[in-house]
Amino acid sequence: MKKLFFIVLACLFSLHVLAQDPYLKPTRYGFQINAIPNISYSSFISYKGGGWKPELIIRTRLKNDVLQFTKKENRYHAGYEVSINVRDIATGNVLRSNSWRRSVELESFEDTNSRKKFQFSHGKLNLGLSPGKYIEFLEITDLSTQKVFRNQREIEIPDPQKEPIAHSEIAFLASGRTESEDLRIWTLDEKMRFNSPLITYLEVQTPEADTVYIVGSVYLKDEGGNFNNIEQERFVEFSSDSVFRYTRVLTESGYDEGRYKLVYEIE
């Protein structure tokens, strides 16, 4: 066994009563809380083996309440379409695109108006683009009302030649499944759901199959603004592919509310 590389990856995250992409919602008690929006989505640049080829993974989340349902034979039906495209940041020209449709069938009328139950979809887009910054443009269309939700974000395909070793961002998963066709990215945003499992995921390009040593550290920010180490574990894994995919369950029950920093040291 020989040493392959040494890198340090870090991300910051906060734990709140509610989950990603929150907005501040007033309460009758005079203070505000983080509320889940009606529609939100997460995206993640994943990589395939061999040529370290980037692939955009998209996961959308819609509250049942935003969809228009129609009753058919004692069941309630709705549908929506997700369209994603990647555009040149300078010209706005569409470079890559994909779309998919989802059908929803519910038994209960109460569930059609629920703001606590969600519909999820999962899709991907092969990028095949040079490293650099691009615009990611998303549309979600209710197929009954033709109402459209639009959002755009700037994304960056990293240049593997500028890093000691090519790697993805640290992401969080909705489940522990990491198969390429079912990589359920939950969020790359900083705010995470309080009192729920935290499953982290990252990808690292390895020069060859070998043993990989990982040290994972969690830090909690105190009132003085300092991050103090509260947890550290060392793992030994074996990479059998040119892309090492690492999943770790930080906690099954969640940490206390607060501001945290997660650091992975990999060699």
Side-chain angles (χ1 to χ4, degrees):
M1 191 279 292
K2 63 181 180 181
K3 185 174 180 179
L4 298 177
F5 47 80
F6 179 80
I7 58 174
V8 178
L9 305 177
C11 74
L12 296 171
F13 62 95
S14 300
L15 297 178
H16 295 265
V17 176
L18 292 173
Q20 63 150 0
D21 299 322
Y23 63 92
L24 291 176
K25 177 182 178 181
T27 69
R28 60 182 177 179
Y29 303 105
F31 59 87
Q32 295 179 318
I33 61 172
N34 292 290
I36 299 176
N38 291 335
I39 301 174
S40 59
Y41 78 99
S42 295
S43 62
F44 175 75
I45 296 179
S46 179
Y47 295 89
K48 296 181 178 180
W52 193 245
K53 299 174 183 178
E55 180 179 68
L56 189 65
I57 306 294
I58 299 291
R59 190 166 190 261
T60 65
R61 176 179 63 184
L62 292 75
K63 289 182 180 179
N64 284 359
D65 183 59
V66 304
L67 293 171
Q68 179 67 48
F69 285 85
T70 302
K71 187 176 182 180
K72 297 178 181 178
E73 298 180 355
N74 297 321
R75 290 180 178 270
Y76 300 88
H77 299 262
Y80 62 96
E81 180 177 72
V82 180
S83 299
I84 181 73
N85 63 66
V86 174
R87 304 181 179 188
D88 185 283
I89 197 168
T91 66
N93 293 335
V94 175
L95 304 175
R96 299 288 186 273
S97 64
N98 192 17
S99 64
W100 57 93
R101 291 189 174 190
R102 295 291 183 268
S103 298
V104 184
E105 181 179 307
L106 301 176
E107 295 184 0
S108 166
F109 174 75
E110 288 72 21
D111 284 346
T112 67
N113 294 316
S114 175
R115 297 182 179 181
K116 296 182 179 180
K117 295 184 178 182
F118 301 87
Q119 300 300 320
F120 297 92
S121 80
H122 173 272
K124 58 186 178 181
L125 177 62
N126 291 323
L127 294 176
L129 299 171
S130 301
K133 294 182 178 180
Y134 298 88
I135 295 298
E136 170 189 276
F137 188 84
L138 179 95
E139 286 188 346
I140 300 178
T141 304
D142 185 318
L143 296 178
S144 295
T145 64
Q146 296 302 306
K147 290 183 178 179
V148 181
F149 163 85
R150 294 183 176 91
N151 189 277
Q152 68 178 42
R153 301 175 184 174
E154 183 179 296
I155 61 172
E156 182 172 3
I157 300 176
D159 187 347
Q161 304 302 320
K162 293 183 178 180
E163 298 285 344
I165 194 71
H167 59 81
S168 72
E169 298 179 82
I170 299 175
F172 291 87
L173 299 181
S175 71
R177 299 182 63 181
T178 58
E179 295 85 351
S180 60
E181 70 277 6
D182 194 34
L183 185 58
R184 300 187 177 186
I185 299 298
W186 179 252
T187 181
L188 294 177
D189 300 308
E190 294 184 352
K191 293 182 174 63
M192 304 297 295
R193 182 183 292 272
F194 170 68
N195 196 29
S196 64
L198 292 177
I199 307 171
T200 62
Y201 177 79
L202 63 93
E203 297 174 346
V204 178
Q205 186 180 34
T206 57
E208 60 186 52
D210 208 335
T211 302
V212 179
Y213 297 93
I214 303 171
V215 177
S217 303
V218 179
Y219 299 82
L220 174 62
K221 190 175 184 179
D222 61 25
E223 294 181 356
N226 300 311
F227 281 97
N228 303 303
N229 182 265
I230 61 170
E231 181 180 304
Q232 186 174 81
E233 292 186 76
R234 183 177 176 86
F235 306 90
V236 179
E237 304 284 344
F238 183 77
S239 174
S240 59
D241 196 356
S242 59
V243 178
F244 172 56
R245 295 176 172 84
Y246 178 66
T247 304
R248 179 191 173 198
V249 179
L250 288 182
T251 171
E252 290 285 357
S253 57
Y255 297 118
D256 292 334
E257 291 186 58
R259 180 73 164 170
Y260 293 82
K261 178 168 65 174
L262 168 64
V263 176
Y264 282 128
E265 299 173 66
I266 304 175
E267 66 178 55

